[in-house]
Amino acid sequence: MYVDEGITGTSTKHREGFNRMITDCKAGKIDLILTKSLSRFSRNTLDAIKYVRILRELESPTYIFFEKENVSSEDDTSELMVSLMDDLAQQESRNIGSSISWGKRALASRGIVRPRRLNYGYEYNENKEWVIKEEEAVIVRRIYTDYLNGVRRADIFKRLNDEGIVPPCGSGLWSNSSIQNILVNVVYKGDYIHNQKYKNPERKQPLVPNRGELPMIHIEDHHPAIIEKDMWDEVQKMRAERQKSMKRVHLGFEKEEVKNEAFTDIFKCGECGRTVGFGRYINRKRVQKLDDKTGEIERKKIKKKSSVTLFWRCGYGLQNMLQACDAKQFNQEYLEINFQHLLVEMISNPEFKAYYEKQMDELEISEEELSMEKQLIDRMNELYQKLYEAVDEELNKKGRDSQRIDMLTSKIVAIQEQLKIYTEKREQQQFLQSEMEWFFNSYKLQDLLGKKRIRNFYGFDQTRYGKSLLPSKVLETGLKAEEASFNRELFERLIESGIIYKDGTMVFKLKVGLEWSAPVTYKNYKKLITKRRKLESFLKRLDFLNGPKIKKSMKYCRIPRTSHEMLAFVGDVMTIEHFRTTIINPLVEMD
């Protein structure tokens, strides 16, 4: 029997019993599903039709019989009936939800709201009225006061964590978002807004912001205020001014500068165990400018995008809670390259193949296990025979005594659980073998290494440009693949989860049950970044030395000139030493 107690039928996402049943159907363990009614199977029309089709098209089809509607999916017309009846069930579910929401709105319009959980700083009294919880209200007042005094949100939550003050959620640590939520919430000035967020009918998100889809009710002076209204308004004004000042230097992201969705909720931090999340920021360009007053050259940021960093970091790190976990951030490209190296390892490393073969051997059913399995099957068949006889005897009696039947049934169920171990072992071995054979047959080493992202250092005429123009040495990065040729479909098929440690070592857990990591760390990736920067700088210098500005300077220098005169002519903002090293010396060497 498969049951989901207290779980809504409008989505299959959190229905563990339902999903386990579908898995068993695909494994050929079930040929018929009996369900009380269509609404018990699913209240989502698309889900209902989807699973009816999936189960009917299996190699060993599984059919569904809906008792109340007297419909079987084996019938060709069943899909239409399922669609019509499930629409009614789905609408019924929405109507019930709408009725409850209407009732809450009606109470809110009269100033009556009783959320199950009150905001930080409040609690219910014996009459279910909002009262201030003074030990928490002190913290709320402190947050508002600190913010008005110019303390940054990051510094506020760090101080609270350092003092060991329990956050609103009751455990863990204070974060930037928890401070933000307190600063913007009208609850703290004594007001309440009903329907600020609402449940999404599609159930893709538990709650979404209300942007006019439902009527919002603002109840003023609903409960005692922790923060005076003037103070609350001043905080909002300060927040608006800060946001406005930040928008002046805001630079947008391009469409391709987004997170790799395949990594969402996959990796855990190897230091603190928190989920690794995504972040990104813009690196603004720095230029050298001459200070007219001091005559010194300074490097200043300008409102121009230089590059974008896409990175992944543990939840504590993203919230800047370094006292909880000091694991560093890792560039998204590094995660992609690391996965690429994992694939290379799986194909080329004999140790991985030996590990895979060892796992296959461990999943093999031994002679002793085969003998035990046969004994269990024989014993179960004996119990089934006794059960049939007991049921037949009980049916011929006027007063039924089911005690013996229950005892036999319990013994049969216990044996089935023991046999299930052998069945699962065979299925796991078969799955491991089929997936690994598919991978080895589908991918070759040359397919995974990809093309070189940029030209090799040795691709230039050193005799023409001079050896000093080249970087001092070619960096050995330790990476076999220096270009991320990320295959999302392959990642999602192979990888179940992963752990990222402080040094960047990544341990991948494959869906077939194996665990492996590539011998790559973030130190290797940093070498790759340095190598790219050196090459980019080298190419840029070559272009400059062969460009029109230098050609014009060469004509200017037909008459002997000093270094200072040449620098003034070129017009670049740099020191005379840097000008000699990067321009004059290479030009002399090229001559």
Side-chain angles (χ1 to χ4, degrees):
M1 186 179 290
Y2 303 88
V3 180
D4 289 308
E5 292 187 18
I7 306 294
T8 177
T10 53
S11 170
T12 61
K13 186 176 180 181
H14 302 293
R15 297 179 65 188
E16 291 182 7
F18 181 89
N19 293 322
R20 186 164 48 86
M21 178 183 71
I22 296 299
T23 302
D24 287 349
C25 289
K26 290 177 179 178
K29 297 179 181 178
I30 301 172
D31 54 14
L32 179 65
I33 296 172
L34 297 174
T35 181
K36 182 180 177 183
S37 68
L38 213 153
S39 63
R40 297 297 93 197
F41 183 75
S42 173
R43 285 202 180 104
N44 185 297
T45 306
L46 292 177
D47 281 345
I49 295 174
K50 170 186 166 184
Y51 286 107
V52 165
R53 287 179 180 172
I54 287 173
L55 298 178
R56 205 163 54 177
E57 291 169 4
L58 291 174
E59 189 176 341
S60 299
T62 300
Y63 298 110
I64 310 166
F65 181 73
F66 304 100
E67 186 180 0
K68 182 180 176 182
E69 293 82 6
N70 195 28
V71 173
S72 171
S73 63
E74 191 173 4
D75 189 351
D76 292 337
T77 62
S78 63
E79 200 169 291
L80 176 61
M81 293 295 293
V82 167
S83 176
L84 291 172
M85 292 177 179
D86 210 44
D87 272 340
L88 293 173
Q90 195 171 347
Q91 190 58 47
E92 179 187 356
S93 178
R94 285 178 179 169
N95 288 342
I96 292 170
S98 297
S99 298
I100 294 170
S101 298
W102 180 88
K104 287 181 178 179
R105 281 200 303 273
L107 288 171
S109 63
R110 290 157 49 195
I112 303 170
V113 284
R114 292 198 181 100
R116 279 180 289 182
R117 187 170 178 269
L118 292 186
N119 296 77
Y120 183 77
Y122 289 97
E123 61 184 347
Y124 283 124
N125 63 12
E126 61 276 6
N127 298 321
K128 276 288 183 181
E129 295 171 335
W130 291 43
V131 293
I132 293 174
K133 194 174 182 180
E134 197 52 46
E135 61 268 28
E136 293 178 353
V138 170
I139 306 302
V140 174
R141 295 187 192 103
R142 172 180 163 180
I143 291 169
Y144 273 79
T145 303
D146 284 351
Y147 189 81
L148 284 176
N149 289 334
V151 182
R152 296 182 312 127
R153 291 199 303 265
D155 293 329
I156 294 173
F157 75 71
K158 280 180 187 176
R159 291 174 186 175
L160 294 174
N161 288 329
D162 289 342
E163 294 173 26
I165 295 169
V166 180
C169 59
S171 61
L173 296 169
W174 287 84
S175 65
N176 191 43
S177 58
S178 55
I179 300 297
Q180 170 79 350
N181 291 338
I182 286 175
L183 289 172
V184 301
N185 205 326
V186 299
V187 160
Y188 296 108
K189 66 172 180 175
D191 294 356
Y192 187 88
I193 298 178
H194 178 72
N195 267 355
Q196 266 190 308
K197 293 183 178 180
Y198 71 101
K199 283 188 178 181
N200 186 352
E202 299 298 323
R203 294 296 198 276
K204 289 178 183 176
Q205 293 173 272
L207 288 172
V208 293
N210 184 0
R211 310 209 182 272
E213 294 87 353
L214 294 173
M216 281 194 287
I217 301 171
H218 190 148
I219 309 168
E220 293 187 357
D221 301 320
H222 171 263
H223 53 268
I226 294 175
I227 303 297
E228 293 295 328
K229 291 192 177 183
D230 290 344
M231 187 181 191
W232 191 91
D233 290 339
E234 197 171 339
V235 165
Q236 308 318 307
K237 185 179 177 182
M238 183 179 285
R239 284 186 61 256
E241 286 173 355
R242 287 187 182 181
Q243 288 175 351
K244 189 177 179 181
S245 65
M246 289 186 69
K247 283 181 181 178
R248 292 194 198 108
V249 294
H250 178 72
L251 297 167
F253 294 98
E254 302 296 331
K255 286 184 179 179
E256 66 274 10
E257 295 167 346
V258 295
K259 77 171 179 178
N260 189 331
E261 294 289 350
F263 298 151
T264 303
D265 296 330
I266 292 293
F267 297 106
K268 298 284 184 184
C269 175
E271 309 304 318
C272 66
R274 295 261 297 188
T275 300
V276 174
F278 174 76
R280 63 181 181 176
Y281 57 82
I282 290 172
N283 305 297
R284 285 194 290 151
K285 205 165 191 176
R286 288 180 181 270
V287 295
Q288 290 185 335
K289 289 189 175 181
L290 186 66
D291 193 317
D292 295 330
K293 294 180 180 178
T294 62
E296 294 181 355
I297 295 171
E298 296 179 349
R299 283 174 60 83
K300 293 185 177 180
K301 286 184 179 181
I302 60 171
K303 189 183 174 183
K304 190 173 181 181
K305 185 192 292 187
S306 170
S307 62
V308 170
T309 298
L310 309 176
F311 66 92
W312 292 78
R313 194 173 185 179
C314 82
Y316 284 134
L318 288 172
Q319 293 287 356
N320 205 22
M321 298 185 209
L322 300 184
Q323 69 271 48
C325 182
D326 61 349
K328 303 295 186 286
Q329 68 184 39
F330 302 101
N331 282 14
Q332 180 166 280
E333 186 191 38
Y334 171 68
L335 272 62
E336 295 171 348
I337 285 178
N338 203 304
F339 173 65
Q340 201 74 6
H341 278 76
L342 173 75
L343 302 178
V344 171
E345 279 282 303
M346 290 167 64
I347 286 179
S348 62
N349 191 339
E351 290 184 9
F352 177 80
K353 291 188 177 178
Y355 170 52
Y356 155 59
E357 289 166 1
K358 183 183 176 184
Q359 290 296 111
M360 286 291 293
D361 291 340
E362 289 179 359
L363 291 170
E364 189 72 37
I365 304 293
S366 66
E367 291 294 328
E368 186 180 343
E369 288 174 320
L370 284 171
S371 174
M372 178 62 71
E373 184 182 34
K374 186 177 181 305
Q375 291 177 29
L376 288 170
I377 291 172
D378 291 342
R379 176 59 179 157
M380 186 173 67
N381 289 335
E382 289 176 13
L383 291 171
Y384 267 125
Q385 189 58 43
K386 289 180 180 180
L387 179 63
Y388 298 148
E389 291 171 2
V391 170
D392 189 52
E393 288 174 9
E394 290 297 322
L395 289 173
N396 294 324
K397 289 182 181 179
K398 290 183 180 179
R400 296 181 186 176
D401 181 9
S402 61
Q403 192 172 2
R404 187 182 172 207
I405 294 173
D406 291 343
M407 181 191 68
L408 290 168
T409 303
S410 298
K411 288 182 178 180
I412 290 170
V413 169
I415 292 175
Q416 285 177 337
E417 286 299 315
Q418 288 178 278
L419 289 171
K420 191 176 178 182
I421 296 170
Y422 302 116
T423 305
E424 288 176 350
K425 207 172 179 181
R426 285 192 182 91
E427 289 173 353
Q428 191 177 349
Q429 187 192 48
Q430 186 181 358
F431 179 55
L432 172 60
Q433 185 177 12
S434 63
E435 284 294 284
M436 288 296 96
E437 285 181 356
W438 165 81
F439 174 70
F440 293 138
N441 293 331
S442 302
Y443 293 91
K444 305 300 177 189
L445 192 60
Q446 57 267 30
D447 301 327
L448 301 173
L449 291 177
K451 298 177 182 178
K452 287 290 181 185
R453 182 178 180 128
I454 43 183
R455 287 178 286 174
N456 190 282
F457 283 118
Y458 295 121
F460 304 99
D461 184 353
Q462 295 184 32
T463 57
R464 179 183 174 189
Y465 298 120
K467 291 183 180 179
S468 68
L469 295 182
L470 288 166
S472 56
K473 68 173 185 175
V474 179
L475 280 172
E476 178 54 50
T477 64
L479 299 175
K480 295 176 183 176
E482 293 189 350
E483 178 184 9
S485 181
F486 185 73
N487 186 327
R488 179 171 177 174
E489 288 184 10
L490 186 58
F491 181 89
E492 290 178 342
R493 177 165 180 169
L494 292 180
I495 305 303
E496 182 177 304
S497 61
I499 299 174
I500 307 178
Y501 292 94
K502 189 185 285 189
D503 66 348
T505 300
M506 296 176 66
V507 178
F508 293 89
K509 182 178 180 183
L510 280 64
K511 289 182 179 178
V512 293
L514 305 180
E515 287 189 8
W516 201 256
S517 64
V520 177
T521 65
Y522 205 61
K523 189 176 180 180
N524 301 119
Y525 179 71
K526 283 184 175 179
K527 285 183 179 179
L528 173 62
I529 298 300
T530 304
K531 179 177 178 178
R532 288 178 185 169
R533 284 174 181 163
K534 279 179 177 271
L535 182 55
E536 285 166 6
S537 175
F538 172 53
L539 294 173
K540 191 175 179 182
R541 224 180 336 154
L542 283 182
D543 290 339
F544 176 73
L545 292 173
N546 288 285
K549 187 182 280 191
I550 294 299
K551 287 179 181 177
K552 194 175 178 181
S553 299
M554 296 293 281
K555 289 180 181 179
Y556 175 71
C557 292
R558 285 174 182 171
I559 300 172
R561 308 283 183 182
T562 66
S563 300
H564 288 86
E565 287 175 330
M566 289 178 65
L567 177 57
F569 180 79
V570 172
D572 274 1
V573 179
M574 62 176 74
T575 63
I576 191 66
E577 293 81 6
H578 186 58
F579 179 70
R580 285 176 181 147
T581 305
T582 58
I583 296 180
I584 296 179
N585 293 346
L587 284 173
V588 170
E589 195 172 329
M590 287 171 62
D591 191 18

